[in-house]
Amino acid sequence: MRAKTMTENQMIIDSIRNARNEVEDATRLFNELTDTSAIDYASYNLLAAKTKYSYLIQIAKEKGMSV
């Protein structure tokens, strides 16, 4: 049972790292765009990435993990 928990915790940590990278990429894209339609897409993409990251942080905290 302990090994499963470690694996699950590691998966959460990896997901948080990936989500943080997604936020950074989305932020970079948003800051570089000038076309109005592309900016709309980038803003939705950034919001989704931030929401995903926050959700994963919340899950980690609920499991008692320090993030």
Side-chain angles (χ1 to χ4, degrees), residues 10-48:
Q10 188 59 47
M11 286 174 37
I12 293 170
I13 291 168
D14 291 345
S15 294
I16 290 171
R17 285 186 185 132
N18 290 335
R20 184 177 57 222
N21 289 338
E22 289 176 22
V23 169
E24 291 169 358
D25 291 344
T27 300
R28 212 173 1 264
L29 178 64
F30 179 80
N31 290 332
E32 293 173 1
L33 294 175
T34 57
D35 178 56
T36 305
S37 296
I39 290 172
D40 286 345
Y41 162 76
S43 66
Y44 288 119
N45 190 36
L46 179 56
L47 179 60

